[in-house]
Amino acid sequence: MLPPELYAGIESAWCPGCGNFPMLKAFKQALAELEIRPQDLVLVSAIGQSSKFPHYLKCNTFNGIHGRALPVATGIRLANPTLKVVVTVGDGDQYGEGGNHLLAAFRRNPDLTLVVHNNQIYALTKGQASPTSDQGTKDLLHPQGVPYPPLHPLALAVAQDCSWVGRSFAGMPQHLTEMYKKALTHKGLAFLEVLQPCVTFNKVNTYEWYRKRVYEVETRPDYAPEDELWAYRVAKEWGEQIPIGVIFRKPRPILEESFPQLAAGPLAGRLPERPLAELLAEFS
Amino acid sequence: MLPPELYAGIESAWCPGCGNFPMLKAFKQALAELEIRPQDLVLVSAIGQSSKFPHYLKCNTFNGIHGRALPVATGIRLANPTLKVVVTVGDGDQYGEGGNHLLAAFRRNPDLTLVVHNNQIYALTKGQASPTSDQGTKDLLHPQGVPYPPLHPLALAVAQDCSWVGRSFAGMPQHLTEMYKKALTHKGLAFLEVLQPCVTFNKVNTYEWYRKRVYEVETRPDYAPEDELWAYRVAKEWGEQIPIGVIFRKPRPILEESFPQLAAGPLAGRLPERPLAELLAEFS
Amino acid sequence: MPIDLNILIGGAAGQGVHSITTPLARSLVRAGARVVVVQDYQSRIRGGHIFNVLRVSDVPLAGPREGVDLLVALNQETVALHLPELAPGGLLIYDAEQVQEVPPGVPALGLSLEELLPGTQAGEIAVNAGASGAVLGLLELPVAGLAEMLAESFAAKGEEVAGWNRQAATRGWELAQKFPHAVSLAGLTPPPTPWLLMSGHEAVAVGALMAGLTFISGYPMTPWTSLFNAVAQRALKYGVVLEQAEDEICAINMAIGASYAGARAMTGTSGGGFCLMTEAVGLAAMTETPLVVVVAQRPGPSTGLPTRTSQGDLQFVLWAGQDDSPRAVLAPGSPAQGYAVALKAFDLAERYQIPVFILTDQYFADSQHTCRVEDFPARRIPFALETEPAGGVYERYALTESGISPRRLPGFGPELVVADSDEHTPDGHLTEDLRVRVQMHEKRLRKLTALAGEMRGLTTAGDPEAPVVLLCWGSSRGPVSEAVSRLAAQGVAARMVHLSELWPFPREPVLSALEGAKKLVVVEQNASGQLMRLLRQETGLVGTQAVRRYDGRPFTPEYILRGLSGVV
Amino acid sequence: MPIDLNILIGGAAGQGVHSITTPLARSLVRAGARVVVVQDYQSRIRGGHIFNVLRVSDVPLAGPREGVDLLVALNQETVALHLPELAPGGLLIYDAEQVQEVPPGVPALGLSLEELLPGTQAGEIAVNAGASGAVLGLLELPVAGLAEMLAESFAAKGEEVAGWNRQAATRGWELAQKFPHAVSLAGLTPPPTPWLLMSGHEAVAVGALMAGLTFISGYPMTPWTSLFNAVAQRALKYGVVLEQAEDEICAINMAIGASYAGARAMTGTSGGGFCLMTEAVGLAAMTETPLVVVVAQRPGPSTGLPTRTSQGDLQFVLWAGQDDSPRAVLAPGSPAQGYAVALKAFDLAERYQIPVFILTDQYFADSQHTCRVEDFPARRIPFALETEPAGGVYERYALTESGISPRRLPGFGPELVVADSDEHTPDGHLTEDLRVRVQMHEKRLRKLTALAGEMRGLTTAGDPEAPVVLLCWGSSRGPVSEAVSRLAAQGVAARMVHLSELWPFPREPVLSALEGAKKLVVVEQNASGQLMRLLRQETGLVGTQAVRRYDGRPFTPEYILRGLSGVV
Ligand SMILES: Cc1ncc(C[n+]2csc(CCOP(=O)(O)OP(=O)(O)O)c2C)c(N)n1
Ligand SMILES: Cc1ncc(C[n+]2csc(CCOP(=O)(O)OP(=O)(O)O)c2C)c(N)n1
Ligand code: SF4
Ligand code: SF4
Ligand SMILES: [Mg+2]
Ligand SMILES: [Mg+2]
């Protein structure tokens, strides 16, 4: 195990009590336990409170633009498959602006970890409803409440054969660390959603609200994360009962391995000599 | 019934034998049988061979940009809920470029019909793989074949509680007409995918290929389109057996009705007098 | 000498800086003072350092200025950062629980819960209310109105909390009495018709509503969000359909759909989101669908500084979208102008069937200015629709001399409305006939001819003969006009030429306004001089000097004058 | 007099117009002719009307011209549309099964399956092969090479089909012998080193490969697709990772990710797709990630004319993205220049850590030109990376005089590479320190200074002293240079100044190249005069005349000369 202090980053700008803090702590713990060195790790994020996460950690970082972390992360993996790549973004970012890339990532199955900090709100822009906001959520743009139901991201993932789907809760540090570790050691796209209370803007989905509802899915007598229909049913649960844990696993070949071009290792810094005469000969 | 000739549009630019022709014919038939007048209908499309569809039909048309038909169509419905709005687009358009709007449309449930012409290919741009191209499909960009499996659009729809999900096949004109009619008379978002052979670029998924595989889902002894798990299982079927027919139905309130602003009818041409003094008074 | 007082209220985000500012500013306006409020905040929700500056006067104010006369510090950092700015004779009011150290010799009033509301649990809010009351006390204004306002705004939290606020404000007011009253506003008389305190985005929202807005779609992004919010708060009441989109691409396409179907529609965003809208800008131009698009600027490139101000998107907005297409670009310089520009934007969009841009920025969006009701004249923007039965064939894109074709709405008659993003025939269907292409392309661009004739929006100030001209656009108007007045006070003849309408470029009006300029100083909030380039491109005139700011803070007269030192 | 022959091959899409053109053109080049092929096609897959024009000469050709000397018609419509263009003494070759009516008096050779391959099932392909053979026969060139080429390209369909092609070509050649040979190429000698027939996009692809390209991502869009395809065909062989993205937003972000991680990366698109990329253009600039972006222009606005040509995206590309950010914009005028520009683009992107644009268009993309191997000099573009151990703290965005900071790759040492789209400190972390903001913004823009010094790419032709100057950019080079030669032949002294490097604007080189210009004619393929505006903005020089084309077809010397009539 490496010392978790190894990953200490710059001072955070989150609100006291924010669910992002326990996530940061648990993530560092997972990295330390898995002995992933900062220099071998790239955190990719986008825009939102959750997307500041990589700054508060010592590692390579690409903090890109809103909704577009997955394409950047996939590009990194395709240039250097020896890097450990983790995406840390918000619900608004990935399920709103970035929805199309989520669909594509499930198909591609690159070997990376996608962590969505789900606080059911657009926090950084001060509290608008996000795609996961519960129906009826009131905000400045919806004084009568959001009229339609939320997205079901986990069911979406299962339906598209995402190779690993799990959920955890920022209020359960140990569970969270374990889930980070599982996601980080999965080969292929590991999609981990974390219920992350926003103490400032989300006065409904609080620590208490989640704590009352979450249950560890492994405790179910019918636990069968390799059974797609089972996983689908569990992934669709939301309300009085919210499942956490590993919900779906489907071993699949990873994207990177479909490129023979990557067999020789990273593209990084590779400067192939190309036969000009041969290239031109095709046109004569 | 209205005469189908009523809907005659300009001459088409499709290839002879294209699956779009039977679709056009069946759609006109459905309109005629349902007595939907050209003037009450708006066809919204985007870019692709399939998106030329509205030009070959007499009706109001908004042929917008690649991938963005659903937002335009939703905007039309929100401005004038008395219009019958139908989106006709391709698989590349809606599942590729426009994937994010598909996710959002399922949540919103506007009262419109979405018809995706699925030829499993980007036809207008000359035959690149689309999100529904089967794994291994070879094209100029994938000489070794598409390395990952296709999107599962119907399962996506079921997982997001789309209020009506169906599929038909351009090779079965009567089935198609009936499915158009069902979709057009559904209240809420009706998502109809049509298997549409592209005789020029898709040499694998041909009329024959589809004909050998499709089966009418209503003939299943366990037919239960209101049962989500059943629908999910059926929606996920693809390969030797391809279900066609009404796969999922979930009655849900429509988007338009959540706006009391629309109770008084179309916004179209509405020029409300607003009380300037009252508006300003808030700032004093 | 007119009164000119700067009150800086600073603290960490979440400490209540805004909750002090708004009631205080409104009380001052109600009392008959002119107030300008500017906000300085970070892209975070709690912590960090934010501050508001209230500039207060008994004469009209053009905008903010530098310097601090009264410093209200809710934490130690505010003292550390802003005490150096405190003018001689200034006073520090501070939260005695948060501020541990006040340098000796600084006149200061510490407020604590203990002293304000002994024996209660009121906490932070008490100090905030007390500080507001203290400011009024210092300025010799009555506290009753403020106390009521505070009580009202906390009414939802129960009678006890409302009462605490009332008492704390009053107590703060009393505590201030023991300090010398360097500046007194006691002589002010409240205006007969109440004045307004309004931000730029609020004014644009009111303008849009008065223009007949019935549809708005958008996606949150700072600083655009405040305009979206301002409409949202009034949407149900005034019958506006509002939809939060899944992304900006949806937002603009949805607005185009709504407009095609007959709604008076608008969307908006800020830089990064506008990037995603550019494709549909061309769609609106090609389908000739009226659309108003607000682009609220902030410093870039990329995410940049989300909560700061900039004028860096001018050239981007001018040419956004592939190939040539007609558009109008407007950029208001004050809330009143924001209101007028909004009306004009909808009018131009409607009559020319084009996208019209309103370029704002964080400073324009958030800063509040004292306005008079008379600055907001009512105006009706009628629809420009063809409603007579067509008789024969209806051509949505009939070729006309003006380039404007008869617009109809789908579903309102037998005429079919066919719109296409491809090049199309007069009846809207796609075509590969390249002669038709030329006709259509020219038709669309021909609209610019008449449109150019409607571009005015020039404001001049200062000595009309002065050889020194400060040319500026958009939100910089206030600071530049004040810089010109200050130059005059120093005996330097100068004038301002301000543009609120930038495209089609008002060539003739600008040329004649710039006549006699010997020194042409282009003042703008970007690093490369975008207006300067545009000016040269359109008129050949070369700015001889430039004052540019790109640190994300708005111009002040002082900044401009520093920039001019050695020049004039 | 040099030979100058225009062969037009027309038919419906799907009839095999291209399958005639390519082997024929290649045979001619191998024989020692100079050939230029231009393609004219519609946005449909079958039907409609498409045609290719092969211009053939025994001297170097700058580009296409108007007129038809040999008309190959695969259907009646081609006859109807193009026969009027047939020059006196010209010949019509037609598919006798498709063309029912040939106006009397037109010298014509009808080809039918019957006559070409009696008793076989060969169908359409026979006529196509026969027509190619006939053309060679008319030009008195041997047919053997062509017949082989055809047989090879149909080899996959079996020996029988290959044989049919061989025979049909030969038979067509024989049939042509009975016609007068107005033009003979019999005197040509094949070049010692074989010449190349290459399109603009193929040349850019080869340039990119030679520059060390290892990653490309994109989304299909005409006319960009042909470049993407050209790389795709060679990707596996040369170790390029290629990914088809779900949309253009993904395409550019993925390329940025790959480049950040150390791949030499490129993406590309056309107008509508570029709109969707603009946000990430700013991202590349802000994170200082090298990136080459191809924008293949086509007429807009919006979807416009997808398969036609245009130069309408210049100003858009110059300013795309919010606020000021550094970039370079290049626009090649020929395949050889396309190759050189590709190399330069990767070099600039690498050394300046910026996005570099290559502006092409449908005409440049698709038209094929005869080139010599010597036009493609090898050049190596090394990486500009910091690889020494940092020792202390590594700052990705260290402030430097040049604005260029030491770049490292993640995972290649203990130094952490932190990139951020927000304004950031030298070590890459987001900051609200506005002094740092100013330093960083200036640092990024400072790169433009040295970069400007590298902008040359000016080509001049014609009389260097001539008072008439035709200024142009990008793909218009060929037609404009030929227009200048033709003017010279008519006794009018004129010269061309062509720009292939547009930003940072090569101010000094342009000014000196334009010295002595009395009439400055700006020739460009857009309606509003985007280069003319840019020229004025950057130099103050005003184009006195303009020749503009925006019907979607490329310039021809004739078109330009018509536009100049009355001017020179
Ligand atoms: C293109 C674009 N659109 C909008 C924004 C504004 N924006 C910044 S963060 C954010 C939402 C963040 O929500 P989420 O992803 O849930 O993150 P959180 O702050 O809740 O952690 C938005 C809309 C942006 N930066 N870029
Ligand atoms: C923003 C943008 N990107 C790319 C294109 C190019 N394009 C036109 S049609 C098309 C794909 C069409 O595929 P699909 O939707 O399946 O329609 P089909 O032609 O197969 O019916 C693409 C990529 C475009 N027009 N706009
Ligand atoms: S606003 Fe919410 S999500 Fe953001 S830091 Fe504060 S508590 Fe966390
Ligand atoms: S290319 Fe395919 S989809 Fe397009 S018209 Fe032809 S057959 Fe139909
Ligand atoms: Mg969130
Ligand atoms: Mg398709």
Side-chain angles (χ1 to χ4, degrees), chain C residues 70-81:
Chain C
L70 254 177
L71 177 59
V72 180
L74 301 186
N75 63 5
Q76 188 72 47
E77 192 176 9
T78 303
V79 176
L81 288 170

Side-chain angles (χ1 to χ4, degrees), chain D residues 202-220:
Chain D
E202 286 166 340
V204 172
V206 172
L209 288 170
M210 290 309 295
L213 181 77
T214 51
F215 185 89
I216 186 168
S217 46
Y219 186 80

Side-chain angles (χ1 to χ4, degrees), chain D residues 190-315:
Chain D
T193 318
W195 288 337
L196 315 170
L197 184 70
M198 210 179 210
S199 73
H201 271 180
E202 286 166 340
V204 172
V206 172
L209 288 170
M210 290 309 295
L213 181 77
T214 51
F215 185 89
I216 186 168
S217 46
Y219 186 80
M221 186 160 195
T222 311
W224 140 257
T225 310
S226 58
L227 177 43
F228 200 23
N229 284 345
V231 174
Q233 281 164 39
R234 298 160 177 86
L236 189 63
K237 183 161 183 190
Y238 297 113
V240 178
V241 170
L242 177 145
E243 181 65 1
Q244 179 179 334
E246 59 275 21
D247 57 27
E248 291 84 352
I249 305 174
C250 170
I252 187 167
N253 279 282
M254 204 180 250
I256 289 172
S259 176
Y260 162 81
R264 187 150 282 172
M266 154 182 216
T267 186
T269 182
S270 293
F274 181 62
C275 288
L276 296 168
M277 289 191 177
T278 52
E279 191 186 6
V281 167
L283 176 64
M286 190 63 152
T287 57
E288 308 196 32
T289 309
L291 183 68
V292 173
V293 183
V294 173
V295 180
Q297 299 163 103
R298 66 188 216 189
S302 203
T303 309
L305 291 167
T307 61
R308 310 289 171 172
T309 201
S310 164
Q311 297 184 308
D313 300 352
L314 174 58
Q315 284 188 299

Side-chain angles (χ1 to χ4, degrees), chain B residues 47-50 66 90-93 97 119 121-125, chain C residues 279, chain D residues 219-221 248 272-273 276 298:
Chain B
I47 303 298
Q49 296 284 22
S50 34
H66 191 44
D91 50 325
D93 191 274
E97 188 83 74
N119 54 13
I121 213 86
Y122 284 25
L124 188 59
T125 49
Chain C
E279 191 187 6
Chain D
Y219 186 80
M221 186 160 195
E248 291 84 352
L276 296 168
R298 66 188 216 189

